[in-house]
């Protein structure tokens, strides 16, 4: 009897610890499947499958070579901050959901046998076997630590180049570097001290532990906040989508009408070369004047541009406040040729357009040629918010937040409102 | 008899006014507060008070809005760093600017009365005297 008990205990222990990741409570999966399927709209020939839902704040995601999807959560689910979705029967839906990592965050990416994931202050990595999607959680290394994360633009996005470097955005914990943040009438600090440790993109070694500011390089500065960050392997350069500043109408009604405040500033796409200065907080891109101009807090009057002449110009501009939360250069073969090497951008959806109607909540596509936009942007996936008209941001059903490409060329989209994951594929007619 | 009748009439009127007075006061305060809300609060907290997920907290039936009036008024006067408000485990990261130099006691009383009686909320009004006393105490 005693032996049987011992055997049983051993079996339980082996089962519990033998897995690389912890199986999540199956009841949560059942509950998730009950949720209604959203009708996202896609161009003709494209189809979407719901991989899973109910993950909660599902931020960025990445796909291993075997097709396993890894999702970084901003709020722990059953104590786990990284979720692995495994599809056993190849129908696009996750059949096995497991998790590991007890910290919240946004960034996640796989490169050269390692899975990198970020909290708001650190970057970790784990060995991953991409053939079976198994992660060796015991191999956890802290690559970067001690980054600024002060309750605004605190999330860290990740990108890796092909020379052993990892890029981390450090968002400015500020709207436009006023003495008193977000207070009407408070002047802009000049120079802005935030730029020393935030408001830019830092470069670290992908394989060294415990790096911080002293070991890193401020690769680019003058970028308020970036969530969409991707390395373009075709031209071997970094690209980033900036979240533009808020409150132009509210703080400067004498310069911006309510409508102009909703449309400005542009959300900007930058090609980031080393040493780039994109102009924050001194400059903003005016969508009406189609120019980078001085911010009103720095003497701007919608004409002056003396602070901005030497700043890096964006390569594409979008309407104000749409909140670009993910950027992905598509290199797969599943989609038609026009999509190859082009950029997908997930717009989380606005809030600073109120009382004008909110906008965004979609995934757009930008055609590219040789690393530069080669046509206008177009809406690729829409219908996430479920808005009929005039609803507030908090009422959006789903909000696109992350993008990833599968080994089969499928596009994955995450939603951080309910934690829905879609897989988008193309079927030739 | 005539005197008694007059007294009764006066009493009825006085009572009616006494009852009506706060009601009219509340209605007027809400109307004034709505204007303050639209000019100063709406951009972040949204037209329906629902806030913005992860960023700006909702003002709909939360303990901060319906609970201790002093704590609520203190947030308006002194602001927040961001991250302090936790609603069912969800945090809100944007800072709240201190509005003590922007809004008068009257405006703060009015806007809080508006918020506490809008978006499905129902709670007592905030008086100018309450805001004034708190402002003096926090100096």
């Amino acid at each position: 009897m005693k032996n049987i008990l011992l055997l049983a205990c051993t079996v339980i222990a082996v089962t519990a610890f033998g897995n690389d990741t912890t199986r999540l409570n199956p009841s949560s999966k059942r509950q998730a499947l009950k949720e209604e399927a959203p009708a996202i709209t896609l161009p003709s020939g494209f189809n979407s499958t719901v991989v899973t839902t109910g993950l909660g704040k599902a931020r960025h995601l990445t796909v291993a070579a075997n097709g396993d999807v890894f999702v970084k959560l901003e709020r722990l689910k059953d104590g786990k901050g990284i979720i692995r979705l495994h599809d056993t029967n190849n129908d696009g839906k996750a059949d096995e959901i497991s998790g590991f990592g007890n910290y919240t965050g946004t960034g996640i990416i796989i490169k050269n046998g390692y899975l990198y994931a970020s909290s708001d202050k650190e970057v970790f990595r784990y060995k991953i076997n991409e053939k079976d999607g198994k992660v060796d959680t015991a191999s956890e290394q802290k690559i970067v630590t001690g980054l600024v994360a002060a309750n605004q633009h605190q999330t860290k996005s990740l990108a890796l180049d092909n020379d052993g470097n990892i890029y981390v955005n450090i968002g400015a914990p500020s709207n436009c570097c006023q003495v008193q943040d977000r207070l009407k009438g408070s002047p802009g600090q000049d120079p802005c001290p935030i730029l020393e440790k935030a408001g830019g993109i830092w470069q670290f070694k992908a394989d060294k532990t415990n790096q911080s500011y002293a070991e890193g390089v401020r690769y680019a500065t003058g970028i308020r906040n970036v969530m969409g960050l991707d390395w373009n392997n075709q031209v071997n350069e970094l690209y980033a989508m900036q979240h533009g500043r808020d409150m132009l109408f509210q703080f400067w009604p004498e310069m911006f009408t309510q409508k102009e405040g909703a449309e400005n500033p542009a959300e900007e796409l930058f090609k980031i070369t080393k040493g780039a200065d994109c102009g924050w907080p001194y400059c903003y891109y005016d969508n009406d004047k189609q120019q980078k101009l001085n911010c009103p807090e720095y003497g701007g009057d919608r004409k002056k541009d003396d602070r901005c002449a030497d700043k890096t110009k964006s390569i594409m501009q979008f309407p104000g406040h749409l909140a670009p939360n993910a950027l992905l250069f598509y290199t797969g073969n599943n989609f038609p040729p026009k999509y190859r090497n082009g950029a997908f951008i997930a717009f989380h959806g606005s809030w600073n357009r109120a009382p004008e109607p909110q906008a965004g909540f979609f995934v757009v596509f930008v055609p590219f040629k040789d690393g530069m936009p080669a046509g206008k942007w177009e809406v690729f996936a829409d219908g996430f918010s479920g808005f009929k008209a005039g609803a507030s941001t908090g009422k959006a059903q789903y909000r696109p937040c992350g993008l990833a490409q599968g080994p089969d060329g499928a596009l994955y989209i995450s939603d951080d409102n309910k934690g829905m994951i879609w897989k988008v594929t193309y079927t030739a007619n | 008899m005539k005197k008694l009748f007059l007294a009764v009439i006066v009493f009825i009127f006085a009572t009616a006014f006494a009852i009506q007075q706060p009601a009219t006061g509340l209605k007027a305060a809400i109307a004034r507060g709505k204007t303050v809300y639209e000019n100063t609060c709406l951009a972040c907290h949204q037209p329906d008070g629902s806030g913005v997920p992860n960023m700006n907290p909702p003002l709909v039936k939360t303990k901060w809005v319906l609970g201790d009036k002093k704590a609520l008024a203190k947030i308006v006067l002194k602001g927040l760093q961001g991250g302090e408000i936790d609603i069912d485990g969800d945090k809100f990261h944007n800072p709240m600017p201190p509005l003590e130099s922007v809004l008068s006691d009257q405006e703060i009383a009015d806007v809080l009365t508006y918020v506490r009686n809008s978006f499905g909320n129902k709670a007592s009004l905030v008086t100018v005297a309450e805001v004034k006393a708190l402002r003096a105490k926090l100096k």
Side-chain angles (χ1 to χ4, degrees):
Chain A
M1 185 62 205
K2 214 173 176 183
N3 278 350
I4 292 173
L5 192 69
L6 197 68
L7 184 68
C9 282
T10 310
V11 169
I12 289 166
V14 167
T15 313
F17 294 101
N19 282 340
D20 59 329
T21 57
T22 308
R23 204 61 66 83
L24 292 187
N25 184 359
S27 70
S28 59
K29 194 179 147 196
R30 276 203 300 277
Q31 191 189 343
L33 288 174
K34 272 191 224 154
E35 264 184 64
E36 76 281 29
I40 62 166
T41 59
L42 294 162
S44 172
F46 288 90
N47 298 295
S48 69
T49 308
V50 172
V51 180
T52 193
T53 185
L55 297 181
K57 295 188 178 178
R59 301 287 282 178
H60 284 173
L61 72 174
T62 186
V63 190
N66 77 325
D68 281 5
V69 182
F70 292 84
V71 187
K72 190 77 198 77
L73 302 184
E74 204 170 53
R75 182 172 172 170
L76 298 181
K77 181 164 178 61
D78 298 338
K80 308 298 173 194
I82 301 171
I83 301 297
R84 175 185 170 198
L85 306 172
H86 181 70
D87 173 12
T88 51
N89 58 0
N90 222 17
D91 65 352
K93 298 187 173 99
D95 311 299
E96 285 177 23
I97 301 178
S98 53
F100 62 99
N102 61 357
Y103 53 94
T104 59
T106 288
I108 192 160
I109 189 167
I110 295 170
K111 181 97 179 178
N112 296 338
Y114 285 92
L115 175 86
Y116 296 80
S118 67
S119 70
D120 289 346
K121 291 181 177 169
E122 299 141 316
V123 181
F124 300 90
R125 74 169 186 174
Y126 309 83
K127 280 184 186 151
I128 179 171
N129 181 345
E130 284 207 66
K131 286 181 189 144
D132 60 12
K134 286 233 166 79
V135 173
D136 177 5
T137 55
S139 71
E140 181 181 287
Q141 288 178 305
K142 193 184 282 184
I143 299 298
V144 184
T145 187
L147 302 181
V148 165
N151 268 327
Q152 192 177 177
H153 310 143
Q154 74 280 17
T155 66
K156 304 292 180 281
S157 297
L158 304 174
L160 285 128
D161 65 16
N162 298 304
D163 295 309
N165 298 305
I166 187 164
Y167 300 84
V168 185
N169 81 288
I170 306 178
S174 171
N175 177 34
C176 54
C177 208
Q178 291 169 284
V179 173
Q180 176 65 58
D181 190 23
R182 293 182 185 271
L183 181 68
K184 185 179 178 179
S186 178
Q189 300 180 72
D190 199 356
C192 175
I194 291 171
L195 292 168
E196 286 169 29
K197 290 192 164 182
I201 294 164
W202 268 253
Q203 182 196 54
F204 298 96
K205 294 290 171 205
D207 60 354
K208 285 216 173 82
T209 56
N210 290 312
Q211 303 167 85
S212 194
Y213 289 97
E215 294 78 20
V217 173
R218 193 177 71 171
Y219 192 76
T221 188
I223 313 174
R224 182 173 173 271
N225 184 37
V226 167
M227 286 198 58
L229 184 69
D230 198 17
W231 188 263
N232 182 322
N233 286 307
Q234 192 195 17
V235 295
N236 235 14
E237 294 281 3
L238 186 69
Y239 290 74
M241 281 292 317
Q242 176 178 241
H243 280 231
R245 58 161 301 172
D246 304 323
M247 310 304 248
L248 282 171
F249 161 64
Q250 287 81 10
F251 289 178
W252 305 98
E254 63 276 26
M255 281 183 225
F256 295 86
T257 64
Q258 185 176 293
K259 180 111 179 55
E260 287 170 333
E263 297 295 339
N264 286 289
E267 305 285 49
E268 295 178 83
L269 172 59
F270 290 100
K271 180 180 180 181
I272 307 270
T273 48
K274 192 172 180 179
D277 178 352
C278 299
W280 183 90
Y282 314 113
C283 307
Y284 76 103
Y285 189 94
D286 195 304
N287 266 330
D288 299 315
K289 316 273 179 187
Q290 297 191 16
Q291 236 188 310
K292 212 172 185 96
L293 298 172
N294 292 11
C295 267
E297 289 81 0
Y298 294 90
D301 57 1
R302 297 196 79 184
K303 288 190 190 80
K304 278 189 208 134
D305 67 347
D306 55 290
R307 298 294 298 262
C308 316
D310 59 340
K311 306 298 186 202
T312 300
K313 303 255 182 309
S314 49
I315 57 171
M316 185 163 260
Q317 299 82 30
F318 298 85
H321 312 293
L322 302 191
N325 271 20
L327 170 67
L328 175 87
F329 284 99
Y330 182 79
T331 57
N333 289 317
N334 176 242
F335 289 9
K338 86 162 195 183
Y339 293 97
R340 218 174 139 76
N341 297 314
F344 286 100
I345 300 160
F347 285 100
H348 202 215
S350 65
W351 60 268
N352 193 211
R353 288 182 156 243
E356 295 288 314
Q358 302 297 357
F361 310 95
F362 51 36
V363 177
V364 312
F365 174 73
V366 182
F368 264 69
K369 192 172 187 301
D370 303 327
M372 289 299 280
K376 289 186 175 153
W377 62 272
E378 61 193 47
V379 174
F380 177 77
D382 203 355
F384 294 90
S385 72
F387 287 169
K388 297 284 182 277
S392 285
T393 313
K395 300 282 165 62
Q397 208 176 358
Y398 306 99
R399 301 184 74 188
C401 189
L403 296 170
Q405 185 185 309
D408 56 355
L411 178 73
Y412 289 81
I413 305 168
S414 62
D415 140 63
D416 70 346
N417 201 17
K418 292 182 176 173
M420 181 86 75
I421 311 292
W422 291 267
K423 179 181 183 179
V424 177
T425 52
Y426 181 77
T427 317
N429 293 319
Chain B
M1 187 62 202
K2 217 175 175 180
K3 268 185 187 169
L4 184 65
F5 183 68
L6 198 69
V8 167
I9 296 283
V10 168
F11 178 75
I12 287 170
F13 266 83
T15 314
F17 269 93
I19 292 166
Q20 217 182 332
Q21 197 67 30
T24 321
L26 179 67
K27 218 173 160 185
I30 289 172
R32 289 192 306 268
K34 186 171 190 285
T35 306
V36 178
Y37 184 83
E38 285 170 354
N39 290 335
T40 310
C41 320
L42 178 145
C44 296
H45 292 287
Q46 301 294 298
D48 59 0
S50 62
V52 180
N54 306 319
M55 295 182 147
N56 311 321
L59 305 174
V60 182
K61 295 179 182 173
T62 73
K63 66 174 182 181
W64 281 274
V65 170
L66 298 175
D68 180 19
K69 287 193 267 185
K70 277 184 195 157
L72 181 62
K74 187 185 170 189
I75 292 174
V76 176
L77 285 164
K78 294 292 179 185
L80 292 170
Q81 294 295 310
E84 297 96 326
I85 304 288
D86 184 316
I87 297 172
D88 301 328
D90 287 333
K91 291 207 167 179
F92 297 87
H93 296 286
N94 272 1
M96 163 96 183
L99 297 172
E100 58 188 348
S101 61
V102 178
L103 299 178
S104 67
D105 294 337
Q106 180 76 56
E107 287 169 322
I108 293 174
D110 289 343
V111 78
L112 292 181
T113 299
Y114 168 73
V115 165
R116 282 162 61 87
N117 291 281
S118 303
F119 322 131
N121 297 328
K122 189 99 189 97
S124 60
L125 55 72
V126 176
T127 65
V128 177
E130 285 171 315
V131 178
K132 196 178 172 187
L134 184 67
R135 192 194 285 265
K137 200 180 142 195
L138 293 175
K139 270 237 163 87

